[in-house]
Amino acid sequence: MPLAALRRATRETVSGLPREFWWLWTSTLVNRLGAFVATFMALYLTLDRGYSATYAGLVAALHGLGGVVSSIGAGVMTDRLGRRPTLLVAQASTAVSVAVLGFVHHPVAIAAVAFVVGAASNASRPAVQAMMADIVRPEDRVRAFSLNYWAINLGFAISSMAAGFIAEVSYLAGFLIEAGMTAVCAVVVFVKLPESRPERTTSEKAGEDEVRLGTVLRDRRFMGVVGLSFLVALIFQQGSVGLPVAMGEAGFSPADYGFAIAVNGVLIVALQIPVTRFIERRDTGRILIVSSLLAGYGFGLTAFAGSVGVFALTVCVWTLGEMLNAPTQTGLVVRLSPARGRGRYQGMYTLSWSVAALVAPLMSGLVIDRFGAEWLWGLCAVVGTAAAIGYGTLMRRLAADEPATAGNPADAKPEVSPAA
């Protein structure tokens, strides 16, 4: 692409979004730039503290369990207290708990604080997504979610590289730096972001027509999206749980895995903006179907990988599926969420990823130990196919219910009442 065309594409991608979105985007980027703990927690526990790999796995599981628990609670807080208070509580709690984690030494205390860190850090997600949906016009939401996803990956790529250097100097410094940068995010939210929660109607104040968790669970269309999101998340999680184990058993070094998985971050940072322009006005159902197939068969092709280069090529395939899926699926979630229930809906959607983060390590370990890595990659292809079929069926039903807006979430109305 010529430089002038690239500049024009970038300008068109970032233009027209409200100032509040960019402050929220900045908060996301700063938060991810300081995300050191998740990167070096296992090394910290095994190398610096001398604990076993089993204990490190338990701490990681408790960290994930904290995210599962907080997903729903944070969604309720987002609707009841507001987006801004939830973000402030989540980020302030994260800053404090991460700092405490750097000073505790007893194994029970470390496990307990890790659970709190997982809960606090995950609690901001429903509020961020709900606030973003509140302040961005419906036709710009896919673009906004894509830019936010790009910021997450850019921040993570930089923090992952920085974490290694910081860990060589002091693990405690990493904890304190993350705590400090998370506190900065809380300040940004407090100073620059106004509350965006829609005003409650008289009937809602009286308890009538209020969106509750039961409303979300009875929304069959939305829960279908949550279920399909879980399947897709289960596949993508294999990049960090199944792939390193399989490469290690095949005789590849940690550096080999690091090179292969680095392709994921590099591609997202380099291509997410042009990919966003490609998908912004295209059919949501087709994008979700294609992304599911790319994810499933991208990991499926790993069964035939015999060199680092081929592993990297398979990462390219499923990374493309990830770039297509993330903003499109988030846009669909907003499309199906009533404005005054966005927190609960986003919390349930976040739950699908949190549960997948718990199930994926168990699934990959069980399948690899009993049947071999090839069966895991074959299972990924099957799950991806099932998700693609599910998305096709779901989008046909949505097209029947909403023929005027089914093609693209950008065309949808800001509010869609949940199904009974």
Side-chain angles (χ1 to χ4, degrees):
M1 179 183 291
L3 182 59
L6 181 61
R7 288 177 177 174
R8 183 174 63 254
T10 303
R11 184 171 59 253
E12 292 175 356
T13 300
V14 302
S15 64
L17 295 170
R19 181 178 58 183
E20 293 81 4
F21 164 80
W22 289 111
W23 282 116
L24 191 60
W25 183 90
T26 300
S27 175
T28 298
L29 179 61
V30 172
N31 188 51
R32 298 308 299 173
L33 284 171
F36 301 116
V37 172
T39 303
F40 62 63
M41 176 59 87
L43 294 176
Y44 166 70
L45 293 175
T46 55
L47 298 182
D48 190 68
R49 291 296 172 193
Y51 292 112
S52 66
T54 301
Y55 174 76
L58 173 63
V59 172
L62 287 172
H63 183 277
L65 182 61
V68 171
V69 172
S70 69
S71 296
I72 300 301
V76 175
M77 285 179 60
T78 298
D79 287 336
R80 287 192 175 182
L81 300 181
R83 284 61 159 144
R84 187 168 176 261
T86 303
L87 277 173
L88 285 171
V89 171
Q91 292 176 344
S93 301
T94 301
V96 172
S97 58
V98 166
V100 171
L101 187 59
F103 289 100
V104 295
H105 302 301
H106 194 279
V108 176
I110 292 174
V113 178
F115 173 84
V116 175
V117 171
S121 60
N122 201 62
S124 62
R125 294 181 183 179
V128 169
Q129 300 291 354
M131 180 176 278
M132 202 168 293
D134 293 338
I135 63 181
V136 176
R137 296 179 302 176
E139 60 268 25
D140 293 330
R141 284 175 185 156
V142 169
R143 181 158 55 103
F145 289 133
S146 183
L147 286 169
N148 192 63
Y149 179 68
W150 183 80
I152 291 172
N153 282 277
L154 176 63
F156 181 75
I158 296 174
S159 68
S160 296
M161 291 185 290
F165 294 104
I166 293 172
E168 290 183 0
V169 178
S170 170
Y171 283 100
L172 177 60
F175 287 104
L176 295 180
I177 290 173
E178 175 165 349
M181 297 188 75
T182 306
V184 170
C185 293
V187 172
V188 169
V189 170
F190 180 77
V191 175
K192 294 295 185 179
L193 290 175
E195 178 56 56
S196 65
R197 181 182 60 170
E199 293 293 330
R200 300 176 68 189
T201 64
T202 303
S203 61
E204 288 173 330
K205 290 179 181 179
E208 303 172 6
D209 301 325
E210 184 179 355
V211 177
R212 302 179 183 274
L213 284 178
T215 310
V216 182
L217 294 172
R218 290 192 300 271
D219 188 341
R220 290 175 293 180
R221 299 181 306 171
F222 180 78
M223 291 308 296
V225 174
V226 171
L228 293 170
S229 170
F230 169 75
L231 293 180
V232 172
L234 202 61
I235 298 173
F236 287 130
Q237 289 292 333
Q238 299 308 321
S240 58
V241 295
L243 185 60
V245 174
M247 290 186 68
E249 289 195 349
F252 293 94
S253 68
D256 293 331
Y257 166 72
F259 172 80
I261 200 63
V263 174
N264 173 259
V266 171
L267 284 179
I268 291 174
V269 172
L271 299 180
Q272 187 64 60
I273 290 179
V275 167
T276 298
R277 287 182 54 79
F278 175 78
I279 68 175
E280 192 172 4
R281 302 298 176 186
R282 283 174 167 77
D283 181 77
T284 299
R286 291 180 181 176
I287 294 172
L288 290 173
I289 291 171
V290 170
S291 67
S292 300
L293 294 175
L294 286 172
Y297 286 91
F299 277 101
L301 290 172
T302 309
F304 304 99
S307 66
V308 176
V310 178
F311 275 111
L313 287 176
T314 65
V315 172
C316 291
V317 176
W318 59 259
T319 297
L320 179 57
E322 184 179 357
M323 288 189 289
L324 293 173
N325 180 272
T328 307
Q329 186 165 248
T330 306
L332 179 60
V333 169
V334 174
R335 170 184 167 183
L336 297 177
S337 307
R340 295 173 183 84
R342 280 178 182 147
R344 289 174 172 84
Y345 274 71
Q346 290 291 346
M348 188 64 68
Y349 171 63
T350 301
L351 181 66
S352 67
W353 282 83
S354 298
V355 174
L358 281 180
V359 174
L362 301 175
M363 182 187 81
S364 61
L366 180 65
V367 174
I368 290 175
D369 286 343
R370 292 197 174 185
F371 305 104
E374 292 79 7
W375 282 85
L376 176 63
W377 309 132
L379 181 60
C380 286
V382 171
V383 173
T385 302
I389 294 172
Y391 278 122
T393 303
L394 176 67
M395 297 309 296
R396 282 196 296 272
R397 292 179 179 176
L398 288 179
D401 293 341
E402 304 165 5
T405 62
N408 190 345
D411 301 327
K413 296 179 181 179
E415 296 186 37
V416 178
S417 299

